[in-house]
Amino acid sequence: MTLQAVTHINFKGDARAALEFYRSVFDGDLTILTYQDMHNVQHPDEANLVMWGQVVSDNGFAVMAYDVPASRGWDKGVDPFYESLRGQTVEEVTAIWSKLSDGATIAQPLGPAQWAPAYGMLTDKFGITWVVDVAVDYSGS
């Protein structure tokens, strides 16, 4: 079993600039996927905003970020981050999900997604929002 927990920061239009800054600070590899890249544009003004991005450095630093879409309410002080938990297999993340979901509010049930064999989101009984998925390489499209 190989799990990786990474902070996933929520922005409103600043995710690209933040990720580029973190890449310059930590000398990491940057990946940015826009809502357009993921064929998930719900509002034309959001097409080039970050739906998912990350910086990963050889020194162990990792951070994820995205731009919260207009369809989802957001307040910087109320919902500034998620904790992202990534595993290697559906079975691995399902086992963790079943335990983590005890007393949780489920925002997105764990299941297949366009970008991963399994993805889900919940807020645990302590108020922390977790994004759980299976890590896969993005090959572009």
Side-chain angles (χ1 to χ4, degrees), residues 14-107:
D14 294 327
R16 182 182 304 273
L19 288 165
E20 289 172 348
F21 173 72
Y22 298 141
R23 173 184 54 184
S24 74
V25 171
F26 296 100
D27 193 31
D29 294 321
L30 172 66
T31 304
I32 291 179
L33 302 174
T34 65
Y35 284 92
Q36 183 172 319
D37 294 336
M38 298 300 290
H39 309 288
N40 195 18
V41 177
Q42 296 177 16
H43 191 281
D45 293 345
E46 298 174 342
N48 292 315
L49 293 180
V50 176
M51 184 173 171
W52 179 81
Q54 73 175 4
V55 173
V56 177
S57 299
D58 289 341
N59 65 7
F61 174 82
V63 69
M64 294 181 189
Y66 93 123
D67 287 308
V68 177
S71 62
R72 183 176 183 280
W74 182 78
D75 179 322
K76 184 177 186 175
V78 174
D79 195 16
F81 74 94
Y82 300 143
E83 189 64 24
S84 175
L85 184 64
R86 309 194 93 191
Q88 298 299 309
T89 67
V90 173
E91 295 77 17
E92 179 180 38
V93 299
T94 299
I96 297 296
W97 176 271
S98 66
K99 295 174 185 175
L100 195 57
S101 63
D102 178 33
T105 301
I106 308 299

